[in-house]
Amino acid sequence: MNNADKIYNLAVSGVQKLIPYTPGKPIEELERELGLSNTTAMDGGSVAIGREPMRLIKLASNENPLGPGKKALAATQATLKDLALYPDGNGFNLKLALADKYAVDMSQITLGNGSNEILELVARAFLTPGLEVVFSQHAFAVYPIVTQAVGATAVVAPALNYGHDLNAMLQRVTDKTRLVFIANPNNPTGTLLSHADLEAFIGALPDTCVCVLDEAYCEFAGDGSADNSIAWLKKYPNLLITRTFSKAYGLAGLRIGYGLSSPQMADILNRVRQPFNNNMLALAAAEAALMDTEHLQNTIAVNAQGMQFITEGFKNLGLEWIPSAGNFVLADLKQPAMPIYEALLRKGVIVRPVGVYELPNHLRITIGTQAENQLFLQALTEVLSGNV
Ligand SMILES: *Cc1c(COP(=O)(O)O)cnc(C)c1O
């Protein structure tokens, strides 16, 4: 071990063994790798050097293919002139808008730098080494990371048909379990739990265990989850619901999400967050986005059509997939997915391998615009027919 490497021994033990989250490949990175230039992320234009122009598309991070809404963009632009000032550290206006929309008290809301930050805050506020965290196999990759970073022990319950097995999870809850994470719909599998099953599970947890219900995709679920779960907050002071503006609202680049909980839980999270964790542009854009029901409805409609189109394409190719309640779908290739992923990259299509989720034969595809979905299916057809 060289001298500089010794610093690793000083990191807390969870961090020493931590494998960082791998994000979807950015379009610009693929451009560099393919020797292309002149593309910007959302316009999809691209100029090849010494070869045919090729359009690059990213269907890898469950971003909104329509981009941000007009209202959010206008609010962002109008805020630029104030950038020399600190943002409102309490996020008053956004909390007011959220409280109004979901009929909760402002004291029940925690704003985060993406809902990922809320997941991190809850881990820091409630976990220490020796305590356990229960989540499902194939659940969101951030749960093991935030658990390990604070030295707590992850207890993984086997999945049932790719989704959460709530009984298996409950069986693993002991008096050492301080936290459970549930994503509904789940990423990357897209599976959805029924309200009745979910509420029975939350109700069966001991009150010494915090339940994090991650609803990053609830707007797409079409089962009323976006409203239903809010009612449980009155009954369960140990419940924390997390939501985001990154997916259906099209603001992933600004980093803004929120938690809904009892005021007491929000108070605890507020103690560990940075004073100005939400930037000014994000606060303004999110507030405007919340009012832009047209953009949200459009997004949901385009997703539903695209889901239909892509799964129809899978069927024509003889592929199986996991029915999804999100804005993405997992295709079962019945063969190692990495070579297919790489062949798609060479055709300018970025999707998401899910080997880290113990799904080495699947690829996760974010539903795009109709044009993107067509390009993807065409590329996949060529790749699977050996024309690579
Ligand atoms: C995308 C995602 C999030 C949150 O992302 P942020 O951009 O940090 O808000 C949270 N949970 C799941 C399951 C996700 O897929």
Side-chain angles (χ1 to χ4, degrees), residues 190-211:
T191 49
L192 185 71
L193 294 160
S194 80
H195 294 301
D197 289 351
L198 201 45
E199 192 187 353
F201 174 82
I202 297 166
L205 286 175
D207 58 11
T208 49
C209 178
V210 170
C211 180

Side-chain angles (χ1 to χ4, degrees), residues 15-31:
V15 173
Q16 287 187 26
K17 285 170 232 130
L18 203 67
I19 300 166
Y21 181 81
T22 319
K25 185 186 282 294
I27 283 190
E28 287 175 4
E29 188 177 305
L30 180 59
E31 257 168 14

Side-chain angles (χ1 to χ4, degrees), residues 123-202:
R124 274 170 50 210
F126 287 95
L127 299 175
T128 57
L131 292 174
E132 295 181 354
V133 180
V134 172
F135 52 84
S136 175
Q137 181 190 17
H138 312 315
F140 189 38
V142 166
Y143 310 153
I145 293 176
V146 298
T147 300
Q148 199 179 323
V150 295
T153 304
V155 177
V156 182
L160 179 66
N161 299 327
Y162 297 104
H164 291 73
D165 182 341
L166 294 176
N167 289 328
M169 289 179 72
L170 209 51
Q171 276 165 18
R172 284 162 177 78
V173 172
T174 69
D175 53 7
K176 283 197 242 153
T177 312
R178 183 58 49 84
L179 211 61
V180 302
F181 284 111
I182 296 185
N184 198 52
N186 184 44
N187 172 20
T189 59
T191 49
L192 185 71
L193 294 160
S194 80
H195 294 301
D197 289 351
L198 201 45
E199 192 187 353
F201 174 82
I202 297 166

Side-chain angles (χ1 to χ4, degrees), residues 248-262:
Y249 288 97
L251 298 176
L254 282 176
R255 314 303 305 127
I256 181 115
Y258 57 99
L260 302 171
S261 65
S262 60

Side-chain angles (χ1 to χ4, degrees), residues 10 24 29 39 48 59 80 88 140 188 190 206 210 240 245 320 338:
L10 305 182
E29 188 177 305
T39 310
L59 301 174
L80 288 171
D88 174 4
F140 189 38
V210 170
L240 171 65
F245 287 95
E320 285 176 24
M338 277 317 273

